[in-house]
Amino acid sequence: MRVLITDDHPVFRQGLRGLLQALGVEVVGEAESGPEAVRLAAELRPDVVVMDLHMPGGNGLEATRTITRTNPRAGVLVLTMFQDDDSVFAAMRAGARGYLLKESGAEEIARAVRAVAAGEAIYGPEIARRVLTYFAGMPHPKQNAFPQLTEREREVLELIAQGRGNADIASALFLSTKTVRNHVSNIFMKLHVADRAQAIVMAREAGLGESGRN
C-alpha cells in the first residue's frame, strides 16, 4: 500500500508519516498544496492520497476532484479539521472515499487508510452521524428512481447504499463475487459515478438503503 500525504503543516505531515510507517505503510511522498498533490499523484501513482481540504497553496477539493478523475485507482481520504455539512458533502461529491477529522485516533486513521486502499467508503463517527441525519431528513424517493438500471442492478445498488461490501452482496443475492463486481461496474457507468462513495451518496439521496439503516 502506497500513500501520498497532503497537508500544509510540516509537523502534521511528519507525525502522520511516522504513524503510517510504523504500521508498515509505505509513504511515497508529501505535498503541501492541492496542485502539488495532483502532480505527485500522477507521478507516484499512490493507492491512497490523504488530503487536507483547506490549504494556502491550493484547494483540496479541486485536487480531490482532479485526482479521482485522472487516477481512479487512487482513493482519496480527507483528513481535516472541518466537519461542517458543506465540507463533508463537497468532499463526497468530489470523489473522496473517506472523511476523518484530525482529532481521530491513530488506529482509526490507520484503519481508514487501509479501507480506502481496499476500495471501501469510510467515515468517522461524527461524520457518519451527520451523513445519516442529513439523509434521514430527506423526502421519500420516487418509485422510478434510476430507470436506467436493471432490476438486479437496483437490488445491488440497494445493498451498496446500505454500506455492504461485494462479498456480502454476493451472499445476500446468491451470486458470485465476480458477478457482483460486474454489476457494480455497470451501475457506476450508468450513474456516471467514479466510485462506491459517490454511488452511495446518489442512492441514498434517492432513498435507497433505508431498510439497512433502521
Side-chain angles (χ1 to χ4, degrees):
M1 182 168 39
R2 296 159 52 81
V3 175
L4 170 64
I5 298 172
T6 305
D7 196 283
D8 60 313
H9 293 95
V11 173
F12 181 81
R13 293 200 308 270
Q14 182 179 11
L16 184 57
R17 172 187 280 270
L19 164 66
L20 295 176
Q21 289 179 331
L23 295 170
V25 175
E26 181 184 5
V27 177
V28 296
E30 298 179 14
E32 59 182 19
S33 70
E36 186 178 15
V38 171
R39 179 180 63 80
L40 289 178
E43 176 184 330
L44 301 174
R45 313 297 287 182
D47 301 300
V48 179
V49 179
V50 179
M51 181 74 70
D52 193 9
L53 286 185
H54 301 288
M55 296 171 285
N59 189 302
L61 286 174
E62 186 57 40
T64 296
R65 190 175 295 109
T66 301
I67 291 170
T68 56
R69 184 180 68 247
T70 59
N71 186 15
R73 70 179 295 275
V76 175
L77 169 64
V78 170
L79 189 58
T80 183
M81 296 174 59
F82 298 90
Q83 57 179 310
D84 58 284
D85 289 352
D86 287 345
S87 294
V88 173
F89 289 104
M92 294 171 73
R93 286 191 294 269
R97 290 184 196 163
Y99 197 112
L100 287 185
L101 300 179
K102 287 185 176 180
E103 63 191 35
S104 302
E107 290 185 5
E108 188 177 1
I109 293 173
R111 181 172 63 88
V113 169
R114 293 193 182 98
V116 169
E120 300 175 21
I122 187 164
Y123 303 93
E126 177 59 32
I127 303 305
R129 280 192 291 270
R130 285 180 174 274
V131 171
L132 292 177
T133 298
Y134 172 81
F135 287 118
M138 297 192 68
H140 197 273
K142 297 179 180 178
Q143 292 299 315
N144 62 345
F146 310 123
Q148 68 270 46
L149 301 183
T150 66
E151 182 176 352
R152 177 63 84 186
E153 287 166 352
R154 281 180 54 84
E155 292 175 339
V156 172
L157 182 58
E158 168 75 26
L159 296 177
I160 289 174
Q162 294 177 15
R164 299 169 72 169
N166 286 356
D168 196 13
I169 294 173
S171 177
L173 298 180
F174 303 99
L175 300 172
S176 70
T177 304
K178 181 179 179 180
T179 297
V180 171
R181 284 200 302 267
N182 289 338
H183 282 313
V184 171
S185 295
N186 289 337
I187 290 168
F188 288 1
M189 179 182 65
K190 290 181 179 181
L191 298 186
H192 304 290
V193 297
D195 55 33
R196 216 174 190 89
Q198 290 181 311
I200 289 173
V201 172
M202 184 175 289
R204 290 187 176 178
E205 284 180 342
L208 299 184
E210 291 181 346
S211 60
R213 292 179 279 149
N214 292 333

